Amino acid sequence: MTSEHVHIAIVGAGFSGLGAAIRLRQAGIHEFVILERDEEIGGVWRDNLYPGCACDVESPLYSFSFAPNPGWSRMYSPQAEILAYLRRCADEHGVRAHLRLGHAVSEAVWDPDHRRWALETSRGRFTADVLIAGTGGLSEPRVPELRGRERFEGRAFHSARWDAEAPLSGRVAVVGTGASAVQIVPNIVDRVGQLKLFQRTPAWVVPRKDRAFSRLEQRMFALAPFTQRMLRAQLYLRHESFLLGFRNPALMRLVQRRALRYLADQVPDRELRARLRPNFTLGCKRILVSDDYYPALTRDKVEVVSAGVREVVGSGLVDTEGRTHEVDTIIWATGFEVAEPPFARYVRGRSGDSLAQVWRGSPKAYLGTTVAGFPNLFLLTGPNTGLGHSSMLLMIEAQLELILGAVRELGRGAVTIEPDPQVQARFVEEIERGGAGTVWTAGGCSSWYLDGTGRNSTLWPWSTFSYMRRAKFERGDYVIEDA
Ligand code: NAP
């Protein structure tokens, strides 16, 4: 069977993949395709259609620095607006022609003879000199493997696969109290007959203080773009200052006091309040920002079930205390496969082993981007590029500069680039040391930031500025094969 050869194959057309495409074009590199499994672009902002879906980092900061949007309607823009922004970015930056929609990649194998990647997709084969994975860390829904799941007689779906047809007017169970549930619950509460929220671990919630941008502000941002840049800079510095608390958990007590006051103001019922009180240091799990979550939980039709789910039965859920809860609809707001992304299973490097086999549940990559033994592979939002305190787009953009540096090196005669295994190992140790004593590792919670081995393989433990400074292509850090 024939295959199409491309210089660069980008997998995924979300913020990462589109950002890569735009920066490549801006750098004068046009020989690339974007392989997207869906028929539409947008990544998580296409997939998450639950009521109330919005960003939880302010829009002026949660957007590309090279594509400011003076038209954001609110500080925290809703999903549809973010998706429209991404579509506009793709149009305005000439990315559409590079898109191969409906191309699900099922295998990416390094071909040592031709020194390139061989890709299998649902619509044919490709070969590529360079593979950029923009597959996202939060793209594969995770529904707990509970006994009896197939026996449930009602409608059940994951928050990221919203079933718009599901009748919400009856008895609804929401399982999970993460960033998705906190947006879903207040936005369906008016519609449901009865809502049971399964809370295994109470989360820290702080006020969002969302507000609309006025017409005047939008006009000002459009006519004098530096005003929006100033707002972005101010938001950037505010988020970076949060890092002080994340790195010094004792300081988080001050913020915790404010969050507890917020809880007390919002939830008058003492017994409910006690159940909602978190028992770990603020920041250990993602901090939830919401103005309407607590008020929703005080409604008569809402019950907070302070237990996990033990099993699913035909009529509903059995909690870990053995109580059966009869419901008509189950919404699994139970998060994503972070430490074992499916992409890792189908990318095979020099040794023939997949990333998943090499990582064994604990992903490692140099600067979160390149992996020893996997030449010319670049991971966007790879291991330890996640953030608990600011906008992921800052990290993605910094990674793109690093990748551009490597791609330019390939343009100068290099054929393969991969990190020196020792440089990668030293980097991983450094990350380990950098995470010690932070709220993520010492905050007394179990979160998806830590993998099955207890390592932080998700977050960058320092400032975004320090990542931007380091994410430059330094020849000496890599093993480079020339033609
Ligand atoms: P999540 O943070 O992983 O939360 C999953 C929830 O499900 C947790 O409360 C967890 O409880 C619970 N859970 C998992 N398995 C369970 C079981 N067997 N029984 C009972 N409860 C169970 O997932 P998410 O809320 O979808 O958010 C994931 C990430 O996506 C966020 O941290 C954020 O980075 C991103 N996100 C962003 C936005 C945004 O505003 N832009 C919105 C949504 C999501 P435990 O806490 O006890 O583990």
Side-chain angles (χ1 to χ4, degrees):
M1 203 200 271
T2 56
S3 57
E4 179 182 344
H5 182 73
V6 290
H7 180 39
I8 302 174
I10 301 170
V11 185
F15 260 110
S16 295
L18 293 174
I22 295 171
R23 291 296 293 119
L24 284 172
R25 282 183 59 90
Q26 286 175 340
I29 300 160
H30 298 258
E31 306 80 38
F32 67 88
V33 294
I34 309 177
L35 304 169
E36 165 57 52
R37 64 181 171 185
D38 205 277
E39 296 295 340
E40 171 61 289
I41 64 172
V44 292
W45 297 106
R46 171 204 62 219
D47 289 344
N48 281 270
L49 297 170
Y50 60 77
C53 182
C55 54
D56 61 3
V57 170
E58 298 86 344
S59 290
L61 192 59
Y62 193 77
S63 36
F64 290 126
S65 63
F66 48 77
N69 174 21
W72 290 124
S73 67
R74 315 187 61 78
M75 209 40 129
Y76 296 92
S77 300
Q79 169 269 336
E81 221 175 292
I82 301 171
L83 182 58
Y85 167 77
L86 278 172
R87 286 188 184 139
R88 219 165 41 243
C89 284
D91 291 335
E92 288 172 6
H93 292 268
V95 169
R96 293 272 177 196
H98 300 267
L99 282 169
R100 299 283 196 280
L101 298 174
H103 283 63
V105 178
S106 54
E107 200 169 62
V109 179
W110 178 252
D111 171 353
D113 298 330
H114 299 95
R115 295 197 285 183
R116 62 190 188 190
W117 287 97
L119 310 176
E120 192 79 55
T121 83
S122 51
R123 293 205 191 149
R125 289 184 176 159
F126 289 78
T127 53
D129 303 318
V130 175
L131 182 60
I132 300 179
T135 45
L138 302 168
S139 53
E140 290 299 323
R142 197 188 73 83
V143 175
E145 298 284 342
L146 291 163
R147 193 154 33 115
R149 242 175 60 197
E150 66 298 336
R151 287 212 304 267
F152 182 58
E153 285 149 14
R155 295 282 258 268
F157 52 93
H158 187 270
S159 54
R161 298 287 179 272
W162 194 259
D163 178 352
E165 310 290 307
L168 293 180
S169 54
R171 301 160 301 175
V172 176
V174 175
V175 183
T177 50
S180 300
V182 86
Q183 293 183 334
I184 294 170
V185 169
N187 284 285
I188 61 169
V189 71
D190 285 334
R191 275 192 269 162
V192 300
Q194 197 191 70
L195 194 150
K196 297 212 179 204
L197 175 65
F198 287 77
Q199 169 193 264
R200 193 164 64 176
T201 315
W204 285 102
V205 183
V206 298
R208 181 154 85 151
K209 297 194 189 125
D210 190 17
R211 70 172 182 88
F213 285 117
S214 67
R215 278 272 165 78
L216 190 68
E217 282 174 302
Q218 289 173 331
R219 217 167 305 149
M220 181 177 74
F221 294 152
L223 294 174
F226 78 93
T227 55
Q228 198 176 25
R229 280 202 298 276
M230 270 166 50
L231 173 60
R232 182 178 165 103
Q234 186 196 335
L235 292 166
Y236 172 75
L237 291 175
R238 197 157 71 87
H239 279 272
E240 287 308 291
S241 72
F242 298 160
L243 195 68
L244 215 60
F246 286 93
R247 295 204 54 84
N248 303 283
L251 290 180
M252 280 301 196
R253 279 202 209 108
L254 297 171
V255 193
Q256 282 181 198
R257 262 209 294 269
R258 276 180 43 204
L260 287 176
R261 213 171 319 131
Y262 179 58
L263 169 64
D265 290 347
Q266 302 269 312
V267 181
D269 181 90
R270 187 189 286 261
E271 199 267 327
L272 176 59
R273 206 159 62 217
R275 263 189 290 153
L276 294 173
R277 193 187 164 106
N279 56 3
F280 57 89
T281 309
L282 182 138
C284 183
K285 282 172 183 279
R286 192 175 175 88
I287 303 170
L288 306 183
V289 288
S290 177
D291 298 329
D292 47 13
Y293 176 64
Y294 283 148
L297 303 188
T298 65
R299 304 274 294 265
D300 285 342
K301 56 171 140 174
V302 178
E303 182 190 343
V304 177
V305 181
S306 310
V309 181
R310 194 179 72 194
E311 74 176 287
V312 185
V313 289
S315 61
L317 299 170
V318 182
D319 69 28
T320 43
E321 282 152 17
R323 233 177 103 205
T324 302
H325 304 263
E326 296 199 341
V327 292
D328 309 302
T329 306
I330 301 172
I331 300 168
W332 300 106
T334 41
F336 300 87
E337 301 288 354
V338 180
E340 306 254 5
F343 183 75
R345 288 199 285 274
Y346 60 71
V347 179
R348 296 183 180 280
R350 274 190 197 285
S351 68
D353 284 347
S354 67
L355 272 175
Q357 283 167 319
V358 172
W359 283 344
R360 283 181 284 145
S362 194
K364 298 176 180 116
Y366 179 48
L367 292 170
T369 312
T370 52
V371 185
F374 292 78
N376 298 357
L377 170 69
F378 300 93
L379 309 173
L380 285 164
T381 68
N384 296 105
T385 58
L387 294 179
H389 73 286
S390 191
S391 167
M392 272 309 289
L393 296 185
L394 299 165
M395 298 299 278
I396 292 172
E397 285 195 33
Q399 286 194 284
L400 292 176
E401 294 318 301
L402 171 63
I403 296 171
L404 276 181
V407 170
R408 285 196 190 102
E409 187 71 27
L410 292 168
R412 284 193 287 267
V415 178
T416 68
I417 292 178
E418 63 190 286
D420 178 329
Q422 284 177 1
V423 171
Q424 180 178 315
R426 274 202 300 276
F427 173 78
V428 171
E429 276 168 28
E430 204 188 323
I431 288 278
E432 218 108 308
R433 284 197 302 276
T438 61
V439 71
W440 302 299
T441 54
C445 78
S446 89
S447 77
W448 58 263
Y449 295 152
L450 306 183
D451 59 39
T453 71
R455 253 187 82 242
N456 161 30
S457 52
T458 312
L459 294 180
W460 176 252
W462 300 286
S463 68
T464 59
F465 179 73
S466 73
Y467 186 77
M468 290 174 205
R469 197 168 42 82
R470 290 194 60 174
K472 304 273 185 301
F473 180 73
E474 298 288 347
R475 238 181 159 270
D477 293 347
Y478 297 86
V479 178
I480 298 176
E481 283 177 4
D482 292 318

